[in-house]
């Protein structure tokens, strides 16, 4: 009964998140030891200053009304723009990932600010660690950006990750594996005294996704050094072709879940847009 209630609660949050996370369309403008970022990549059983991306903002699909979302996601990466080497993948991940001035006003660098070229692994013990990139991944790059403590509120910790797979199938497998990880390990140790609990992931129906080929949402609770007790945690992962993006937000004192969803939605929309620019 508890599991059913927990799923229903997370599903309700996910439904609300769908309108926020997925409405912010892509054309709208990690876990390891002492490396405190929420999981940017799925488990290893599958086999992952800001540079402005080139190109001009153009919608993936024209809408009749200004600001209206397309009825379906319709974007095909240009074959010559899809990374085929590690060097090409690194160029894409660095161009697409967000910096302090790219996400939301007032964000500052987290600690550590960047993690590159590694892969997160969820052990049977539900403890995360880092390893080398698996053969099917060309590059994975994470930046941590926080909303600093102010006006009586705590420090919100965010991260954004861009991963380039060798194939679309590999990227799609990362999405599917991620959903299963929360069922296998609803409580997870991030390292450095950080812990997630009550986790539940939900992959969105493709008809509800407007800014990617696939998207999922995860919610739960977070505790860790400086968290001032148990806080909400939200996380989303999306895929465009062979590229995945992940945005996580760990809550803080004074923030509601809706606040975290707005922060995650803004970051998710922007990084997906930048991925599109790199692939068009």
């Amino acid at each position: 009964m508890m599991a059913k209630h927990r799923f229903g609660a997370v599903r309700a949050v996910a439904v609300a998140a769908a309108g926020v996370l997925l409405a912010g369309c892509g054309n709208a403008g990690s876990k390891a030891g002492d490396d405190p970022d929420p999981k940017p990549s799925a488990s290893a059983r599958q086999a992952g200053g800001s540079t402005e991306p080139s190109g001009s903002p153009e919608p993936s699909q024209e809408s009749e009304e200004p600001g209206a979302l397309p009825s379906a996601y319709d974007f095909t990466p240009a074959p010559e723009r899809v990374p085929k080497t590690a060097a090409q993948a690194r160029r894409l991940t660095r161009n697409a990932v967000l910096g302090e001035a790219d996400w939301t006003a007032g964000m500052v660098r987290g600690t550590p600010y960047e993690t590159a070229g590694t892969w997160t692994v969820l052990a049977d013990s539900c403890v995360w660690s880092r390893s080398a990139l698996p053969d099917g991944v060309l590059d994975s790059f994470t930046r941590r950006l926080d909303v600093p403590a102010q006006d009586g509120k705590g420090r919100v910790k965010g991260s954004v990750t861009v991963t380039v797979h060798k194939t679309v199938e590999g990227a799609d497998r990362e999405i599917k594996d991620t959903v299963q990880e929360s069922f296998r390990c609803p409580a997870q140790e991030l390292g450095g005294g950080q812990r997630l609990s009550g986790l539940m992931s939900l992959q969105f129906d493709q008809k509800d996704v407007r800014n990617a080929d696939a998207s999922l949402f995860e919610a739960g609770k977070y505790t860790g050094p400086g968290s001032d007790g148990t806080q909400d945690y939200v996380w989303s992962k999306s895929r465009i072709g062979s590229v995945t993006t992940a945005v996580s937000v760990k809550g803080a004192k004074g923030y509601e879940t809706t606040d975290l969803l707005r922060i995650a939605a803004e970051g998710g929309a922007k990084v997906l847009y930048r991925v599109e620019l790199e692939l068009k």
Side-chain angles (χ1 to χ4, degrees), residues 73-83 92 168 213 239-243 275-276 278-280:
Y73 187 66
D74 183 20
F75 172 76
T76 301
E80 69 276 10
R81 299 279 288 174
V82 176
L92 184 148
V168 171
D213 293 316
R239 177 183 68 81
I240 296 178
S242 59
V243 180
V275 168
E276 276 197 10
E278 290 300 309
L279 293 174
K280 67 186 298 180

Side-chain angles (χ1 to χ4, degrees), residues 45-260:
R45 285 192 306 277
Q46 69 176 340
S50 175
T51 303
E52 290 298 324
S54 59
S56 57
E58 295 179 6
S60 301
Q61 181 171 332
E62 294 295 335
S63 302
E64 293 183 3
E65 299 179 13
L69 290 171
S71 59
Y73 187 66
D74 183 20
F75 172 76
T76 301
E80 69 276 10
R81 299 279 288 174
V82 176
K84 298 174 180 62
T85 67
Q88 292 171 346
R90 285 192 293 270
R91 184 161 53 249
L92 184 148
T93 58
R94 274 60 171 180
N95 286 349
V97 80
L98 306 180
E100 300 123 286
D102 304 321
W103 191 336
T104 193
M107 293 191 96
V108 297
R109 294 187 178 191
T111 304
Y113 178 48
E114 297 178 340
T115 301
T118 61
W119 190 255
T120 51
V121 181
L122 183 61
D124 292 340
S125 61
C126 298
V127 176
W128 285 91
S129 63
R130 283 192 175 274
S131 69
L133 293 175
D135 289 341
V137 176
L138 291 171
D139 189 53
S140 187
F141 185 59
T142 295
R143 276 192 180 146
R144 293 162 200 83
L145 297 164
D146 300 348
V147 179
Q150 56 190 339
D151 301 326
K153 295 183 177 182
R155 187 181 184 97
V156 171
K157 297 182 178 181
S159 77
V160 57
T161 298
V162 182
T163 299
V164 180
H165 291 257
K166 289 182 179 179
T167 65
V168 171
E169 292 75 17
D172 194 49
R173 189 162 57 249
E174 179 187 342
I175 296 287
K176 290 179 168 57
D177 284 354
T178 299
V179 176
Q180 295 304 314
E181 285 174 342
S182 67
F183 287 93
R184 176 167 69 90
C185 291
Q188 302 172 4
E189 299 289 341
L190 309 183
Q194 298 184 102
R195 178 180 175 82
L196 300 178
S197 60
L199 292 175
M200 184 68 76
S201 294
L202 179 67
Q203 184 167 354
F204 291 110
D205 191 304
Q206 186 55 43
K207 67 181 177 60
D208 296 323
V209 182
R210 302 289 194 272
N211 61 346
D213 293 316
S215 289
L216 64 85
F217 171 78
E218 182 174 275
K221 298 294 183 179
Y222 164 75
T223 57
S227 68
D228 196 17
T230 302
Q231 306 295 342
D232 288 326
Y233 161 81
V234 297
W235 184 71
S236 67
K237 176 173 281 188
S238 299
R239 177 183 68 81
I240 296 178
S242 59
V243 180
T244 64
T245 64
V247 172
S248 71
V249 181
K250 299 171 181 173
K253 177 184 175 181
Y255 286 87
E256 302 292 334
T257 303
T258 51
D259 299 322
L260 306 183

